[in-house]
mmCIF file of all heavy atoms in Angstrom:
data_model
loop_
_atom_site.group_PDB
_atom_site.id
_atom_site.type_symbol
_atom_site.label_atom_id
_atom_site.label_comp_id
_atom_site.label_asym_id
_atom_site.label_seq_id
_atom_site.Cartn_x
_atom_site.Cartn_y
_atom_site.Cartn_z
ATOM 1 N N ALA C 57 129.700 16.352 13.029
ATOM 2 C CA ALA C 57 129.713 14.996 12.642
ATOM 3 C C ALA C 57 128.840 14.094 13.725
ATOM 4 O O ALA C 57 128.932 14.469 14.850
ATOM 5 C CB ALA C 57 131.187 14.494 12.622
ATOM 6 N N PHE C 58 128.158 13.275 13.057
ATOM 7 C CA PHE C 58 127.261 12.360 13.942
ATOM 8 C C PHE C 58 127.171 11.020 13.356
ATOM 9 O O PHE C 58 126.838 11.087 12.143
ATOM 10 C CB PHE C 58 125.918 12.983 14.155
ATOM 11 C CG PHE C 58 124.888 12.196 14.900
ATOM 12 C CD1 PHE C 58 125.094 12.090 16.303
ATOM 13 C CD2 PHE C 58 124.077 11.357 14.215
ATOM 14 C CE1 PHE C 58 124.239 11.271 17.024
ATOM 15 C CE2 PHE C 58 123.192 10.669 14.822
ATOM 16 C CZ PHE C 58 123.244 10.542 16.288
ATOM 17 N N SER C 59 127.513 9.922 14.032
ATOM 18 C CA SER C 59 127.395 8.683 13.472
ATOM 19 C C SER C 59 127.274 7.678 14.526
ATOM 20 O O SER C 59 128.010 7.538 15.507
ATOM 21 C CB SER C 59 128.631 8.197 12.651
ATOM 22 O OG SER C 59 128.646 6.936 12.344
ATOM 23 N N GLN C 60 125.877 7.079 14.622
ATOM 24 C CA GLN C 60 125.546 6.321 15.638
ATOM 25 C C GLN C 60 124.542 5.312 15.216
ATOM 26 O O GLN C 60 123.392 5.314 15.465
ATOM 27 C CB GLN C 60 124.830 7.147 16.719
ATOM 28 C CG GLN C 60 125.089 6.850 18.150
ATOM 29 C CD GLN C 60 124.475 7.794 19.131
ATOM 30 O OE1 GLN C 60 124.921 8.923 19.230
ATOM 31 N NE2 GLN C 60 123.291 7.471 19.758
ATOM 32 N N GLY C 61 125.121 4.219 14.482
ATOM 33 C CA GLY C 61 124.131 3.142 13.866
ATOM 34 C C GLY C 61 123.231 3.846 12.896
ATOM 35 O O GLY C 61 123.627 4.869 12.065
ATOM 36 N N ASP C 62 121.955 3.582 13.130
ATOM 37 C CA ASP C 62 120.909 4.144 12.219
ATOM 38 C C ASP C 62 120.191 5.375 12.941
ATOM 39 O O ASP C 62 119.119 5.872 12.414
ATOM 40 C CB ASP C 62 119.914 3.188 11.593
ATOM 41 C CG ASP C 62 118.965 2.821 12.659
ATOM 42 O OD1 ASP C 62 119.227 2.821 13.825
ATOM 43 O OD2 ASP C 62 117.918 2.169 12.254
ATOM 44 N N ALA C 63 120.670 5.730 14.015
ATOM 45 C CA ALA C 63 120.159 6.941 14.688
ATOM 46 C C ALA C 63 120.314 8.208 13.916
ATOM 47 O O ALA C 63 121.359 8.243 13.131
ATOM 48 C CB ALA C 63 120.767 7.026 16.100
ATOM 49 N N GLN C 64 119.550 9.184 14.159
ATOM 50 C CA GLN C 64 119.607 10.509 13.501
ATOM 51 C C GLN C 64 119.726 11.659 14.379
ATOM 52 O O GLN C 64 119.487 11.499 15.600
ATOM 53 C CB GLN C 64 118.361 10.708 12.713
ATOM 54 C CG GLN C 64 118.100 9.586 11.608
ATOM 55 C CD GLN C 64 116.620 9.660 11.074
ATOM 56 O OE1 GLN C 64 115.758 10.130 11.778
ATOM 57 N NE2 GLN C 64 116.550 9.181 9.779
ATOM 58 N N ALA C 65 120.272 12.730 14.004
ATOM 59 C CA ALA C 65 120.382 14.013 14.851
ATOM 60 C C ALA C 65 119.712 15.123 14.110
ATOM 61 O O ALA C 65 119.803 15.215 12.945
ATOM 62 C CB ALA C 65 121.893 14.212 15.133
ATOM 63 N N LEU C 66 119.047 15.954 14.910
ATOM 64 C CA LEU C 66 118.599 17.298 14.541
ATOM 65 C C LEU C 66 119.775 18.295 14.613
ATOM 66 O O LEU C 66 120.518 18.196 15.435
ATOM 67 C CB LEU C 66 117.471 17.823 15.374
ATOM 68 C CG LEU C 66 116.021 17.195 15.369
ATOM 69 C CD1 LEU C 66 115.126 17.973 16.258
ATOM 70 C CD2 LEU C 66 115.534 17.165 13.939
ATOM 71 N N TYR C 67 119.864 19.196 13.622
ATOM 72 C CA TYR C 67 120.833 20.100 13.708
ATOM 73 C C TYR C 67 120.124 21.538 13.442
ATOM 74 O O TYR C 67 119.647 21.801 12.322
ATOM 75 C CB TYR C 67 121.856 19.976 12.616
ATOM 76 C CG TYR C 67 123.071 21.095 12.883
ATOM 77 C CD1 TYR C 67 123.180 21.904 13.785
ATOM 78 C CD2 TYR C 67 124.075 20.986 11.738
ATOM 79 C CE1 TYR C 67 124.154 22.960 13.814
ATOM 80 C CE2 TYR C 67 125.057 21.978 11.785
ATOM 81 C CZ TYR C 67 125.139 22.819 12.779
ATOM 82 O OH TYR C 67 126.099 23.749 12.826
ATOM 83 N N LEU C 68 119.945 22.351 14.507
ATOM 84 C CA LEU C 68 119.187 23.677 14.410
ATOM 85 C C LEU C 68 120.276 24.762 14.047
ATOM 86 O O LEU C 68 121.138 24.941 14.829
ATOM 87 C CB LEU C 68 118.541 24.101 15.645
ATOM 88 C CG LEU C 68 117.689 22.917 16.366
ATOM 89 C CD1 LEU C 68 117.167 23.334 17.621
ATOM 90 C CD2 LEU C 68 116.525 22.504 15.249
ATOM 91 N N LYS C 69 120.237 25.131 12.786
ATOM 92 C CA LYS C 69 121.463 25.858 12.186
ATOM 93 C C LYS C 69 121.100 27.175 11.817
ATOM 94 O O LYS C 69 119.968 27.482 11.506
ATOM 95 C CB LYS C 69 121.933 25.034 11.081
ATOM 96 C CG LYS C 69 123.254 25.408 10.512
ATOM 97 C CD LYS C 69 123.625 24.215 9.470
ATOM 98 C CE LYS C 69 124.811 24.782 8.584
ATOM 99 N NZ LYS C 69 125.866 25.414 9.336
ATOM 100 N N GLU C 70 122.037 28.049 11.969
ATOM 101 C CA GLU C 70 121.798 29.498 11.423
ATOM 102 C C GLU C 70 122.333 29.333 9.842
ATOM 103 O O GLU C 70 123.399 29.119 9.642
ATOM 104 C CB GLU C 70 122.793 30.453 12.167
ATOM 105 C CG GLU C 70 122.633 31.811 11.623
ATOM 106 C CD GLU C 70 123.424 32.897 12.387
ATOM 107 O OE1 GLU C 70 124.180 32.542 13.282
ATOM 108 O OE2 GLU C 70 123.422 34.139 11.962
ATOM 109 N N TYR C 71 121.377 29.474 8.975
ATOM 110 C CA TYR C 71 121.642 29.334 7.572
ATOM 111 C C TYR C 71 121.879 30.706 6.979
ATOM 112 O O TYR C 71 121.333 31.751 7.198
ATOM 113 C CB TYR C 71 120.562 28.793 6.828
ATOM 114 C CG TYR C 71 120.690 28.537 5.522
ATOM 115 C CD1 TYR C 71 121.625 27.561 5.024
ATOM 116 C CD2 TYR C 71 119.975 29.180 4.483
ATOM 117 C CE1 TYR C 71 121.707 27.275 3.638
ATOM 118 C CE2 TYR C 71 120.103 29.002 3.161
ATOM 119 C CZ TYR C 71 120.932 27.990 2.705
ATOM 120 O OH TYR C 71 121.112 27.813 1.418
ATOM 121 N N LYS C 72 123.051 30.771 6.233
ATOM 122 C CA LYS C 72 123.585 32.035 5.662
ATOM 123 C C LYS C 72 123.255 32.284 4.285
ATOM 124 O O LYS C 72 123.484 33.483 3.811
ATOM 125 C CB LYS C 72 125.125 32.157 5.883
ATOM 126 C CG LYS C 72 125.550 32.025 7.290
ATOM 127 C CD LYS C 72 125.622 33.193 8.140
ATOM 128 C CE LYS C 72 126.002 33.192 9.453
ATOM 129 N NZ LYS C 72 127.202 32.421 9.947
ATOM 130 N N GLY C 73 122.703 31.270 3.647
ATOM 131 C CA GLY C 73 122.412 31.402 2.134
ATOM 132 C C GLY C 73 121.035 31.942 1.863
ATOM 133 O O GLY C 73 120.412 32.586 2.567
ATOM 134 N N ARG C 74 120.651 31.621 0.531
ATOM 135 C CA ARG C 74 119.400 32.229 0.019
ATOM 136 C C ARG C 74 118.257 31.314 0.307
ATOM 137 O O ARG C 74 118.394 30.092 0.257
ATOM 138 C CB ARG C 74 119.426 32.348 -1.551
ATOM 139 C CG ARG C 74 120.153 33.684 -1.935
ATOM 140 C CD ARG C 74 120.160 33.760 -3.347
ATOM 141 N NE ARG C 74 120.798 32.572 -4.053
ATOM 142 C CZ ARG C 74 120.173 31.717 -4.809
ATOM 143 N NH1 ARG C 74 118.985 31.887 -5.287
ATOM 144 N NH2 ARG C 74 120.932 30.726 -5.357
ATOM 145 N N PHE C 75 117.270 31.770 0.947
ATOM 146 C CA PHE C 75 116.119 30.927 1.349
ATOM 147 C C PHE C 75 114.976 30.705 0.237
ATOM 148 O O PHE C 75 114.344 29.791 0.165
ATOM 149 C CB PHE C 75 115.346 31.586 2.463
ATOM 150 C CG PHE C 75 116.063 31.557 3.853
ATOM 151 C CD1 PHE C 75 116.872 32.761 4.203
ATOM 152 C CD2 PHE C 75 116.273 30.382 4.656
ATOM 153 C CE1 PHE C 75 117.579 32.814 5.319
ATOM 154 C CE2 PHE C 75 117.072 30.480 5.652
ATOM 155 C CZ PHE C 75 117.703 31.658 6.146
ATOM 156 N N LEU C 76 115.057 31.687 -0.761
ATOM 157 C CA LEU C 76 114.042 31.439 -1.984
ATOM 158 C C LEU C 76 114.907 31.050 -3.107
ATOM 159 O O LEU C 76 115.888 31.962 -3.510
ATOM 160 C CB LEU C 76 113.292 32.678 -2.041
ATOM 161 C CG LEU C 76 112.138 32.637 -3.109
ATOM 162 C CD1 LEU C 76 111.139 31.627 -2.838
ATOM 163 C CD2 LEU C 76 111.595 34.006 -3.365
ATOM 164 N N ARG C 77 114.626 29.983 -3.746
ATOM 165 C CA ARG C 77 115.519 29.557 -4.846
ATOM 166 C C ARG C 77 114.582 29.036 -5.907
ATOM 167 O O ARG C 77 113.516 28.768 -5.817
ATOM 168 C CB ARG C 77 116.261 28.258 -4.426
ATOM 169 C CG ARG C 77 117.174 28.580 -3.249
ATOM 170 C CD ARG C 77 117.833 27.285 -2.714
ATOM 171 N NE ARG C 77 118.915 27.478 -1.833
ATOM 172 C CZ ARG C 77 119.855 26.731 -1.796
ATOM 173 N NH1 ARG C 77 119.856 25.502 -2.483
ATOM 174 N NH2 ARG C 77 120.824 26.922 -0.957
#
Side-chain angles (χ1 to χ4, degrees):
F58 175 79
S59 174
Q60 215 174 287
D62 75 342
Q64 299 168 332
L66 285 183
Y67 183 8
L68 310 178
K69 194 170 162 51
E70 181 177 0
Y71 182 66
K72 304 272 175 53
R74 279 179 303 117
F75 292 98
L76 184 64
R77 299 168 166 210

